[in-house]
Amino acid sequence: MKGIFITVEGVEGCGKSTQILLLKAYLESRGREVIVTREPGGTAIAETIRSILLDPENAALSPMAEAFLYAAARAQHVDERIRPALEAGKVVLSDRFADSTTAYQGAGRQLPEETIQSLHSMATRGTWPHLTIVVDVPAEEGLKRAGHVNPPDRIEMEPIEFHRGVREAFLQIAQNDPARVHVVDGTRSVEAVAAAVRDLVEPLLGDL
Ligand code: TMP
């Protein structure tokens, strides 16, 4: 049995973390071994990098340094956690992955496309999702939901235009790569979104 790599993406507060937990339970009911992880993070070293990235005190972090830190966290995550789990035949569910760099550092911070592509190839070295689900909600709605849970981190503090650009970028990524990236409407009930997510995952299980 070979591993399956699924990533879930979207703007802040889109509901992806809830969906990942529901999907994990579903996959386990189908007899799969599942690990749930997140970016930036997923290993002790990458979680340390995460705390630098999200600390509102680090307002001076430059766009390029920010992009390198996300890529560094990803390289560690891929090497230490994702690749070994896939090699062991597990399903890896990651709350964000490389598409977040394309959306936030590419569209949001306006770093050049070639820079983003180079970072992806260095950080992932070919470990790439089989399926990516974008849970789509308007940026305003997501930020409102996220704001109910925690005080804003360094990225959430960006103006609404930044988050609108990120949302558009995720939709564009899905258009550019329709075989891998699928959009689900995240404004519906949790159960309706979960059913749409299961429908996308089902064909991957059938292949095995
Ligand atoms: P989270 O709040 O969904 O856990 O994500 C952490 C924040 O980091 C979120 O604001 C999105 C941002 N981010 C990037 O800007 N680039 C990336 O590559 C990743 C993985 C996350």
Side-chain angles (χ1 to χ4, degrees), residues 12 16 38-40 50 54 66 70 74 95-98 100-101 104-105 153 155-156:
E12 322 290 331
K16 60 193 163 45
R38 69 170 180 182
E39 290 213 346
R50 178 187 178 92
L54 298 189
E66 176 183 285
Y70 279 111
R74 181 162 306 128
D95 187 332
R96 301 193 182 281
F97 191 65
S100 277
T101 296
Y104 284 83
Q105 282 65 54
D153 61 34
I155 305 275
E156 286 166 352

Coordinates of all heavy atoms in Angstrom, one line a residue, residues 12 16 38-40 50 54 66 70 74 95-98 100-101 104-105 153 155-156, ligand 1:
E12 N -7.3 32.4 6.2 CA -7.5 32.3 7.6 C -8.9 32.0 7.9 O -9.8 32.7 7.4 CB -7.1 33.6 8.3 CG -5.9 34.4 7.8 CD -4.6 33.7 8.0 OE1 -4.5 33.0 9.0 OE2 -3.7 33.9 7.2
K16 N -10.5 24.8 7.5 CA -9.7 23.7 7.1 C -9.3 22.7 8.2 O -9.3 21.5 8.0 CB -8.5 24.1 6.2 CG -7.5 25.0 6.9 CD -6.5 25.6 5.9 CE -5.8 26.7 6.5 NZ -5.3 26.6 7.9
R38 N 0.9 20.0 10.1 CA 0.5 21.4 9.6 C 1.8 22.1 9.2 O 2.9 21.7 9.6 CB -0.1 22.2 10.7 CG 0.8 22.5 11.9 CD 0.1 23.5 12.9 NE 1.0 23.8 14.0 CZ 0.6 24.6 15.0 NH1 -0.6 25.1 15.0 NH2 1.4 24.9 16.0
E39 N 1.6 23.2 8.4 CA 2.7 24.1 8.1 C 2.3 25.5 8.4 O 1.2 25.9 8.2 CB 3.0 24.0 6.6 CG 3.7 22.6 6.3 CD 4.7 22.7 5.2 OE1 4.7 23.8 4.4 OE2 5.4 21.8 5.0
P40 N 3.3 26.4 8.8 CA 4.6 25.9 9.2 C 4.5 25.1 10.5 O 3.8 25.5 11.4 CB 5.4 27.3 9.4 CG 4.3 28.3 9.7 CD 3.1 27.8 9.0
R50 N 8.0 28.3 13.1 CA 6.7 28.9 13.1 C 6.5 30.0 14.1 O 5.9 31.0 13.8 CB 5.6 27.8 13.4 CG 4.2 28.2 13.5 CD 3.2 27.2 14.0 NE 1.9 27.6 14.1 CZ 1.0 27.6 13.1 NH1 1.2 27.0 12.0 NH2 -0.2 28.1 13.3
L54 N 5.1 33.8 13.1 CA 3.8 34.3 13.5 C 3.9 35.3 14.6 O 2.9 36.0 14.9 CB 2.9 33.1 13.9 CG 2.6 32.1 12.8 CD1 1.6 31.1 13.2 CD2 2.2 32.8 11.5
E66 N 11.1 36.0 5.1 CA 9.9 35.3 5.5 C 9.8 34.0 4.6 O 9.5 32.9 5.1 CB 8.7 36.2 5.3 CG 7.4 35.5 5.5 CD 6.2 36.5 5.3 OE1 6.0 37.4 6.1 OE2 5.6 36.4 4.2
Y70 N 9.6 30.0 5.7 CA 8.6 29.0 5.4 C 9.2 27.8 4.7 O 8.8 26.7 4.9 CB 7.5 29.7 4.6 CG 6.5 30.5 5.4 CD1 6.4 31.9 5.3 CD2 5.6 29.8 6.3 CE1 5.5 32.6 6.1 CE2 4.7 30.5 7.0 CZ 4.6 31.9 6.9 OH 3.7 32.6 7.7
R74 N 9.5 23.9 5.8 CA 8.9 22.9 4.9 C 10.0 21.8 4.7 O 9.7 20.6 4.7 CB 8.5 23.5 3.6 CG 7.9 22.6 2.6 CD 7.0 23.3 1.5 NE 6.1 24.1 2.2 CZ 5.9 25.4 2.0 NH1 6.6 26.1 1.1 NH2 5.0 26.1 2.7
D95 N -2.3 20.5 7.0 CA -3.0 21.8 7.1 C -2.0 22.8 6.5 O -1.1 23.2 7.2 CB -3.3 22.0 8.6 CG -4.2 23.3 8.8 OD1 -4.1 24.2 8.0 OD2 -4.9 23.3 9.8
R96 N -2.1 23.1 5.3 CA -1.3 24.0 4.5 C 0.0 23.2 4.0 O 0.5 22.4 4.7 CB -0.8 25.3 5.2 CG -1.9 26.2 5.6 CD -1.4 27.5 6.0 NE -2.4 28.4 6.5 CZ -3.3 29.1 5.7 NH1 -3.2 29.0 4.4 NH2 -4.2 29.9 6.2
F97 N 0.5 23.7 2.9 CA 1.8 23.2 2.3 C 2.3 24.3 1.3 O 2.0 25.5 1.5 CB 1.6 21.8 1.7 CG 2.9 21.1 1.3 CD1 3.8 20.7 2.3 CD2 3.2 20.8 0.0 CE1 5.0 20.1 2.0 CE2 4.4 20.2 -0.3 CZ 5.3 19.8 0.6
A98 N 2.9 23.9 0.2 CA 3.6 24.8 -0.7 C 2.7 25.8 -1.3 O 3.1 27.0 -1.5 CB 4.4 24.0 -1.7
S100 N 0.5 27.5 0.0 CA 0.4 28.7 0.9 C 1.5 29.7 0.6 O 1.3 30.9 0.7 CB 0.4 28.3 2.3 OG -0.9 27.9 2.8
T101 N 2.7 29.1 0.2 CA 3.8 30.0 -0.1 C 3.5 30.8 -1.4 O 3.7 32.0 -1.6 CB 5.1 29.3 -0.2 OG1 5.4 28.7 1.1 CG2 6.3 30.1 -0.7
Y104 N 0.6 33.3 -0.3 CA 0.9 34.4 0.7 C 2.2 35.2 0.3 O 2.3 36.4 0.3 CB 1.1 33.8 2.1 CG -0.2 33.5 2.8 CD1 -0.9 32.3 2.5 CD2 -0.8 34.4 3.6 CE1 -2.1 32.0 3.1 CE2 -2.0 34.1 4.3 CZ -2.6 32.9 4.0 OH -3.8 32.6 4.6
Q105 N 3.3 34.4 -0.1 CA 4.5 35.1 -0.4 C 4.6 35.5 -1.9 O 5.1 36.6 -2.2 CB 5.7 34.2 -0.1 CG 6.1 34.1 1.4 CD 5.0 33.5 2.3 OE1 4.6 32.3 2.0 NE2 4.5 34.2 3.3
D153 N -2.3 36.9 14.6 CA -0.9 36.7 14.5 C -0.3 37.7 13.5 O -1.0 38.5 12.9 CB -0.5 35.2 14.2 CG -1.1 34.7 12.9 OD1 -1.1 35.5 12.0 OD2 -1.4 33.5 12.9
I155 N 0.6 37.5 10.4 CA 0.1 37.5 9.0 C -1.4 37.9 9.1 O -1.9 38.7 8.2 CB 0.2 36.0 8.4 CG1 1.6 35.5 8.5 CG2 -0.4 36.0 7.0 CD1 2.5 35.9 7.3
E156 N -2.1 37.5 10.1 CA -3.5 37.9 10.2 C -3.7 39.4 10.3 O -4.7 39.9 10.0 CB -4.2 37.2 11.4 CG -4.5 35.7 11.1 CD -4.8 34.9 12.3 OE1 -4.7 35.4 13.5 OE2 -5.2 33.7 12.2
Ligands
TMP1 P1 -2.3 28.8 10.1 O1 -2.8 30.0 10.8 O2 -3.3 28.3 9.1 O3 -1.8 27.7 10.9 O4 -1.1 29.3 9.1 C1 -0.1 30.1 9.6 C2 0.1 31.3 8.8 O5 1.2 31.3 8.0 C3 -1.1 31.7 8.0 O6 -1.3 33.1 8.2 C4 -0.7 31.5 6.6 C5 0.8 31.7 6.7 N1 1.6 30.9 5.7 C6 2.4 31.6 4.8 O7 2.3 32.8 4.7 N2 3.2 30.9 3.9 C7 3.3 29.5 4.0 O8 4.0 28.9 3.2 C8 2.5 28.8 5.0 C9 2.6 27.3 5.1 C10 1.7 29.6 5.8

